[in-house]
Amino acid sequence: MNSAEFKRRRKKLMRIMGKGSIAILPAAPVAVRNRDVEYPYRPDSDFHYLTGFDEPDSVAVLIPGRKQAEYVLFCRERDEEKERWVGARAGQEGAVADYGADDSFPIDDLDDILPNMLEQCERVYYAMGCDPELDRSMSEWISAIRRNSRSGVVGPVEFIALDHILHDMRLFKSRGELAVMRKAARISARAHRRLMREARPGMTEYQLEAEFVHECTRQGARFQAYPAIVGGGDNACVLHYIDNRDELRDGELVLVDAGCELDYYASDITRTFPVNGKFSEPQRQLYELVLKAQRAALARVRPGAHWDEYHQAAVGVVTKGLVELGILKGKVAKLIKDEAYKAYYVHRTGHWLGMDVHDVGDYKIDNQWRELEPGMVLTVEPGLYIPHGTKEVAKQWWGIGIRVEDDVVVTRDGHEILSGDVPKEIDEIERLMAAHRKRAA
Ligand code: GLY
Ligand code: MN
Ligand code: MN
């Protein structure tokens, strides 16, 4: 993302805030994995969205209309010794020169400088409960201002949830964001195709995961948006299965839910395919049903449709299909009303997608499902899961877990599928798998 886009976002937020306000937004802390080993640093999405700055120990402050500086970035000072070990820091000069801050101070001076900024504002935009340490400081600063009221200082009288405003901004993706998301989905799609080519009975789930990560990393996406789910057979029925330890067996399906993160934007794709390259008859029937539900859901992804519409479309198709296959018994309308499908279709049909895989943004406004609008990105991911030992169901269906998931942007006249580069029709999958087997033989 270029610096103009970050600047546009800050300007937009400041327009919403108006004069007399201050927004305070901390960076995420470093997370420790064990002892002195840290996880690779991942900035908080809200913080990165506004600043493009990816160093911990930073606090961004926006004060619309302030003469000296509207955008102030508190960050670490340069430190030759530390930088030699763990890499360069922007420092105060870099914060201004490279990240568009109007002014910058060392993070260690926050306690001395921020209270003065705070006491001159009426409204504070701040996400309470996200950073306990800053919450504590905020409360101390505000109490100190209150104690000082006899000297005529009034200070803030209104506190507004900054995260809620930012999340609504983040829900609508710009052209620049869509370009990154398109690229992320394309890289993940390529990695999914690789898995279809490489899968063989006798391989392990983690070997497929390794192929996925390898392909994404090769394409410049060094991080996954979430840990890959690679579940063979019954493991596919565990929704967030990430052990990925078991052998992939002949005759079983494997479900792969995996997506890279690129420039802090997620992709989230699921494909399910036969380990040996050929769907069995029961697998084929259930797979066709999931695919049909996905098609019905996709048809409802367009401006003006409300959020629940595409889920209900999928539920309708799944319920009818389960009755036709003899898995559910009864009248379709009643089974839908009683939510009987939930025994096998246990999740909703999708979620917002963006900088976070389960991205931010309200699904309801004033208690009504939100209408879809151009620029929103969501997943469409119906699934069916029948674990071994499901007594109410004939044995031929046991151990089948299927999900098909695509990433979709709402456009002015419908939608665009970002993850279309990976096959999902049965004959396409079987053809791709067979072609590679022939070459490899
Ligand atoms: N990968 C998590 C999900 O599909 O929601
Ligand atoms: Mn998803
Ligand atoms: Mn997923």
Side-chain angles (χ1 to χ4, degrees):
M1 216 57 60
N2 59 31
S3 55
E5 175 127 7
F6 293 113
K7 188 171 177 179
R8 250 197 317 275
R9 294 168 182 172
R10 290 192 295 269
K11 289 269 174 228
K12 181 168 179 191
L13 175 62
M14 285 198 277
R15 260 201 314 277
I16 296 170
M17 292 163 60
K19 279 197 179 158
S21 326
I22 183 169
I24 301 165
L25 186 62
V30 170
V32 173
R33 183 177 184 275
N34 59 304
R35 198 166 160 79
D36 59 352
V37 179
E38 295 165 355
Y39 283 104
Y41 186 67
R42 166 57 158 85
D44 170 72
S45 299
D46 283 346
F47 185 84
H48 187 80
Y49 182 79
L50 270 194
T51 64
F53 193 68
D54 54 10
E55 290 185 27
D57 294 323
S58 318
V59 173
V61 177
L62 295 177
I63 309 176
R66 182 168 178 263
K67 284 214 178 60
Q68 306 94 300
E70 287 190 308
Y71 170 31
V72 179
L73 187 56
F74 291 85
C75 60
R76 303 177 301 188
E77 288 181 274
R78 301 288 309 266
D79 181 325
E80 211 177 307
E81 169 72 13
K82 291 206 171 106
E83 288 181 53
R84 210 185 141 95
W85 282 88
V86 290
R89 295 175 171 188
Q92 284 62 58
E93 253 174 60
V96 172
D98 303 328
Y99 293 94
D102 299 318
D103 205 352
S104 175
F105 299 100
I107 187 70
D108 293 337
D109 295 349
L110 189 72
D111 226 9
D112 298 327
I113 298 174
L114 197 59
N116 293 328
M117 296 173 165
L118 204 51
E119 75 177 22
Q120 284 161 36
C121 297
E122 293 162 30
R123 281 183 310 282
V124 181
Y125 288 76
Y126 179 69
M128 196 63 94
C130 299
D131 183 327
E133 205 182 321
L134 193 57
D135 284 357
R136 235 180 344 264
S137 298
M138 282 289 279
S139 135
E140 280 164 20
W141 296 329
I142 297 290
S143 321
I145 295 170
R146 298 269 183 274
R147 278 199 301 275
N148 211 9
S149 65
R150 266 170 299 158
S151 65
V153 176
V154 178
V157 290
E158 214 181 319
F159 291 82
I160 298 157
L162 173 60
D163 43 342
H164 194 247
I165 297 173
L166 280 177
H167 295 176
D168 207 61
M169 287 170 64
R170 280 176 52 191
L171 180 55
F172 295 89
K173 274 69 178 178
S174 69
R175 217 182 301 180
E177 289 178 290
L178 289 177
V180 177
M181 292 190 76
R182 212 169 271 129
K183 197 163 167 199
R186 219 170 267 157
I187 291 172
S188 295
R190 187 178 169 135
H192 274 278
R193 289 203 304 274
R194 181 181 176 120
L195 265 53
M196 288 181 184
R197 290 198 303 268
E198 297 300 325
R200 296 282 184 283
M203 279 176 81
T204 53
E205 293 164 340
Y206 57 76
Q207 284 171 336
L208 275 196
E209 178 184 5
E211 294 285 343
F212 192 90
V213 174
H214 176 77
E215 188 61 42
C216 295
T217 309
R218 269 167 51 94
Q219 304 298 324
R222 285 197 49 230
F223 298 103
Q224 298 293 302
Y226 54 93
I229 297 166
V230 183
D234 217 33
N235 292 339
C237 300
V238 179
L239 294 178
H240 286 170
Y241 172 82
I242 53 168
D243 282 351
N244 301 355
R245 247 195 276 268
D246 287 349
E247 190 178 307
L248 296 166
R249 284 180 287 265
D250 201 354
E252 289 184 339
L253 294 175
V254 58
L255 180 154
V256 182
D257 182 344
C260 70
E261 178 179 278
L262 185 71
D263 294 341
Y264 303 119
Y265 285 84
S267 56
D268 180 11
I269 305 178
T270 308
R271 288 295 183 265
T272 309
F273 54 91
V275 173
N276 64 14
K278 203 102 187 106
F279 284 83
S280 73
E281 200 44 40
Q283 289 166 353
R284 175 182 297 270
Q285 289 182 344
L286 274 188
Y287 188 92
E288 282 296 356
L289 179 53
V290 173
L291 206 54
K292 194 170 167 191
Q294 207 216 21
R295 277 188 220 111
L298 280 168
R300 306 299 176 97
V301 178
R302 50 178 152 69
H306 66 68
W307 170 259
D308 199 38
E309 251 180 83
Y310 82 95
H311 175 59
Q312 291 308 331
V315 162
V317 170
V318 162
T319 308
K320 185 162 176 282
L322 288 176
V323 170
E324 283 163 8
L325 294 175
I327 295 171
L328 283 180
K329 288 171 192 67
K331 290 249 181 310
V332 173
K334 170 121 177 40
L335 290 167
I336 292 175
K337 189 161 163 276
D338 296 345
E339 300 185 331
Y341 58 87
K342 278 195 176 169
Y344 314 110
Y345 183 15
V346 288
H347 53 78
R348 289 187 58 86
T349 305
H351 50 82
W352 304 130
L353 183 71
M355 297 184 79
D356 296 306
V357 61
H358 295 159
D359 207 31
V360 293
D362 290 338
Y363 291 97
K364 281 187 173 179
I365 293 178
D366 296 333
N367 221 20
Q368 300 290 322
W369 290 112
R370 182 171 204 148
E371 279 191 7
L372 300 182
E373 295 177 57
M376 293 173 165
V377 181
L378 45 87
T379 64
V380 181
E381 50 175 311
L384 279 172
Y385 314 90
I386 307 184
H388 267 284
T390 308
K391 289 201 187 62
E392 313 75 59
V393 171
K395 275 197 178 143
Q396 61 166 337
W397 307 112
W398 288 8
I400 300 181
I402 297 167
R403 179 162 65 255
V404 179
E405 175 175 30
D406 280 302
D407 303 344
V408 181
V409 52
V410 182
T411 60
R412 262 200 304 207
D413 46 13
H415 63 256
E416 173 195 342
I417 299 178
L418 302 175
S419 49
D421 284 351
V422 49
K424 58 185 174 186
E425 298 293 335
I426 284 183
D427 56 345
E428 282 178 329
I429 293 174
E430 288 187 343
R431 225 180 302 131
L432 188 146
M433 295 184 77
H436 192 72
R437 271 139 217 272
K438 221 177 281 162
R439 264 203 300 282

